[in-house]
Amino acid sequence: MIRVLIADDDALVRAGIRAIVEAAEEITVMGEARDGAEVLDEVRRCRPDVVLMDIEMPGCDGLTATRRLLAQPDPPKVLVLTTFGMDENITAALHAGASGFLLKQLNPEQLIHAVCTVAAGGTVLSPAVTRQLLSRSAPLDRGADEARARVARLSERERQVFDLLGEGMGNAEIAGRLYMSMSTTKTYVSRALTKLGVENRTQAALLAYELRLHGPDGP
């Protein structure tokens, strides 16, 4: 079972999310939090695999909670849910290592798929949020030429791993696709992130998106 914690200050939203994700046999909701401070307490109490994190919450907001949570040893995955696709502060969650960014205007199947994907170590990026992140994220603002130059540093196998990271795959999926052991996969992922100059898998996925956006040789 995938254990989920729902963090949102709106009780109706929490109830709606709970109803959606618990309809999936492989997901169970372990707890709820009304603000970022409660997130930290609830994570210690119920040890979820995935936190569905709202941004706009009173007191300790979702971004602050994400930074604090992901700075701890062995944290859960964080999937950010936001109403505002143009929220410039969402880049802070990216740098903290959040595994996904989704607008709340999504259908139930997309939410369930996103939870399962990030629980497995993958990345999920809403197209609208991705475009906004690309326009605001400092590590990705040097243009397509710089992006291609960084990717050119990769070995053939590292490039294969990078391409699969760009598809949002977790380590297990990458290992299966490339017929590698998990330990070897983790080594190649680490090497690729270092050569690309990005902080985490989500930034690597954004870089892959940027290359697809401009094309292999385009501006």
Side-chain angles (χ1 to χ4, degrees):
M1 294 292 288
I2 300 171
R3 298 168 297 177
V4 169
L5 173 68
I6 301 169
D8 198 292
D9 63 323
D10 189 319
L12 287 177
V13 171
R14 294 198 306 272
I17 293 174
R18 175 185 281 269
I20 290 171
V21 297
E22 286 196 327
E25 294 182 356
E26 65 269 40
I27 301 174
T28 183
V29 175
M30 302 296 294
E32 299 180 9
R34 295 169 295 181
D35 58 39
E38 284 192 359
V39 169
L40 301 176
D41 292 337
E42 285 297 301
V43 165
R44 285 189 289 267
R45 182 186 69 81
C46 62
R47 303 301 300 170
D49 302 303
V50 178
V51 176
L52 297 177
M53 185 81 75
D54 185 28
I55 291 179
E56 298 294 331
M57 294 187 289
C60 178
D61 62 31
L63 296 177
T64 301
T66 296
R67 285 193 295 268
R68 292 176 180 174
L69 181 60
L70 295 180
Q72 297 179 2
D74 193 26
K77 307 294 183 183
V78 174
L79 178 57
V80 174
L81 298 178
T82 176
T83 305
F84 308 103
M86 299 299 289
D87 189 338
E88 64 186 29
N89 291 326
I90 200 172
T91 55
L94 167 65
H95 294 303
S99 298
F101 303 88
L102 295 175
L103 297 179
K104 288 181 179 177
Q105 299 89 334
L106 76 170
N107 62 51
E109 293 76 15
Q110 288 173 320
L111 179 56
I112 291 171
H113 174 74
V115 170
C116 294
T117 298
V118 300
T123 302
V124 179
L125 301 169
S126 163
V129 174
T130 298
R131 288 191 293 270
Q132 182 63 19
L133 287 169
L134 284 173
S135 71
R136 297 181 183 275
S137 181
L140 302 177
D141 66 2
R142 289 170 285 182
D145 286 340
E146 172 62 19
R148 284 190 286 270
R150 283 184 280 165
V151 172
R153 303 169 190 160
L154 303 179
S155 68
E156 180 179 355
R157 182 60 99 185
E158 290 164 352
R159 177 57 190 265
Q160 292 172 336
V161 169
F162 168 65
D163 289 340
L164 296 181
L165 286 173
E167 294 179 22
M169 290 189 181
N171 287 347
E173 292 176 294
I174 294 173
R177 181 71 67 88
L178 299 180
Y179 303 102
M180 299 190 302
S181 69
M182 281 293 291
S183 61
T184 300
T185 299
K186 291 178 181 179
T187 297
Y188 275 108
V189 168
S190 178
R191 289 177 182 174
L193 296 182
T194 299
K195 288 186 178 181
L196 292 169
V198 296
E199 298 174 10
N200 51 59
R201 307 168 69 95
T202 312
Q203 289 187 10
L206 287 169
L207 183 60
Y209 179 91
E210 183 176 34
L211 288 174
R212 289 196 298 271
L213 186 68
H214 293 286
D217 301 308

